[in-house]
Amino acid sequence: KDSARAILKMAGRFYDNDLRHNRKICPTRSHANRDELTFDNPDFRDRPQRPGLDSHLRVATADNKSAGHSLTLQFFHASEVGRWKHGEVLTGVLNALSSGPGTMGYLESTAYGSHGVFYDIWRSAVEGKNEWTPIFLSWKGRKEYRTPMTVKQKEIFANQLTYVEIQIMEKHKLSLEEMAWRRQTIQGPKCMGQGMDPADVFRSQYPLTAEEAFVTSGRNYFDLGVVASMEAQARQTPFVRGVIRV
């Protein structure tokens, strides 16, 4: 509930700081509580002075199995779907989502393993089997995921790179500063104490590819980064059927 209300507060801040307020054209708000923002619905005589949307912005938790029932939704944003315990909640809400023009739905999440409803929807979207558009966002290229270094520090760090780090750096075209941040994060508390190899935790929380994002939980014998890379390569290799004569 706390996370859901934090999202509603965020939406409220967007509304409060909307620059259209200065131009008197921002839709007026009727009222707000801890679970809902309600926009005004003035009659046609007041509408020029009090533009309204006649709509609601509601938040609910993924434990609320009645969420979306008896509603018709035009916009829907589901957060951290990979952690939802009840798949029927998502089914209920998606059934309430209108299929009319202008309708939008967003399912976002950290991957949390190659299983569950979020993974199933993602795989079907990648394969073009459903109406969703798969979008993967990496940490690569973002300024906050770099460790600033002097020219001398870069030279020293470059000579300390492991074979695996060199492979990752060349494959994904990462800078030395990005590689330094990656190493510090893997060796730091963010990737410790989760019953997994810290490098696998990093791949799950800060993936460079969608395949890395869906690494499984628990300790694994094989390097999951290598497995993910081989799996992606196998999908790109055309299937050939034939006969081998001995």
Side-chain angles (χ1 to χ4, degrees):
K1 290 184 178 180
D2 291 340
S3 297
R5 287 169 181 164
I7 291 174
L8 185 64
K9 286 183 179 179
M10 193 182 305
R13 284 197 296 274
F14 273 110
Y15 175 81
D16 292 338
N17 291 280
D18 193 326
L19 295 179
R20 290 178 297 175
H21 284 296
N22 299 331
R23 298 165 59 192
K24 308 296 184 183
I25 59 173
C26 192
T28 53
R29 183 169 57 187
S30 173
H31 68 273
N33 55 41
R34 294 195 300 177
D35 301 314
E36 181 179 86
L37 290 178
T38 301
F39 294 96
D40 212 352
N41 182 32
D43 60 36
F44 70 95
R45 290 168 297 185
D46 296 331
R47 199 160 292 158
Q49 289 74 38
R50 295 169 49 218
L53 293 176
D54 187 21
S55 62
H56 307 266
L57 192 156
R58 298 177 179 176
V59 296
T61 67
D63 291 327
N64 183 359
K65 295 184 180 181
S66 63
H69 288 227
S70 303
L71 297 175
T72 300
L73 306 176
Q74 278 73 44
F75 297 91
F76 172 57
H77 173 207
S79 183
E80 290 296 346
V81 181
R83 301 183 67 176
W84 287 25
K85 298 178 181 178
H86 309 292
E88 63 268 28
V89 175
L90 184 59
T91 300
V93 175
L94 291 181
N95 282 327
L97 184 62
S98 169
S99 58
T103 298
M104 293 185 182
Y106 301 90
L107 308 180
E108 54 87 0
S109 183
T110 308
Y112 298 110
S114 54
H115 55 81
V117 64
F118 183 69
Y119 176 76
D120 293 340
I121 294 174
W122 170 265
R123 286 271 14 118
S124 293
V126 169
E127 295 169 3
K129 296 180 179 179
N130 61 30
E131 70 273 29
W132 296 91
T133 301
I135 299 174
F136 172 75
L137 302 176
S138 167
W139 59 270
K140 173 185 173 181
R142 299 184 60 174
K143 294 181 180 180
E144 62 266 37
Y145 297 135
R146 298 177 184 176
T147 298
M149 293 186 292
T150 64
V151 174
K152 183 63 176 178
Q153 288 173 329
K154 290 181 180 179
E155 182 181 340
I156 295 173
F157 181 72
N159 292 327
Q160 295 175 342
L161 289 172
T162 66
Y163 174 77
V164 173
E165 288 176 327
I166 292 174
Q167 293 292 104
I168 292 172
M169 182 177 179
E170 292 179 350
K171 178 180 179 180
H172 299 287
K173 296 179 174 56
L174 300 176
S175 68
L176 286 171
E177 292 180 333
E178 288 174 321
M179 292 302 298
W181 174 85
R182 177 184 181 276
R183 181 189 289 181
Q184 289 177 355
T185 304
I186 290 174
Q187 296 175 347
K190 291 181 180 180
C191 295
M192 299 292 182
Q194 300 188 38
M196 296 172 60
D197 184 280
D200 289 338
V201 176
F202 180 87
R203 292 189 191 100
S204 177
Q205 297 297 318
Y206 302 97
L208 283 164
T209 66
E211 288 74 23
E212 278 191 1
F214 288 103
V215 295
T216 56
S217 60
R219 294 191 176 274
N220 299 274
Y221 183 81
F222 296 104
D223 186 309
L224 294 177
V226 175
V227 173
S229 178
M230 294 177 67
E231 183 180 3
Q233 185 177 357
R235 289 200 185 98
Q236 296 171 2
T237 303
F239 179 76
V240 177
R241 176 177 294 174
V243 178
I244 298 178
R245 297 185 182 277
V246 179

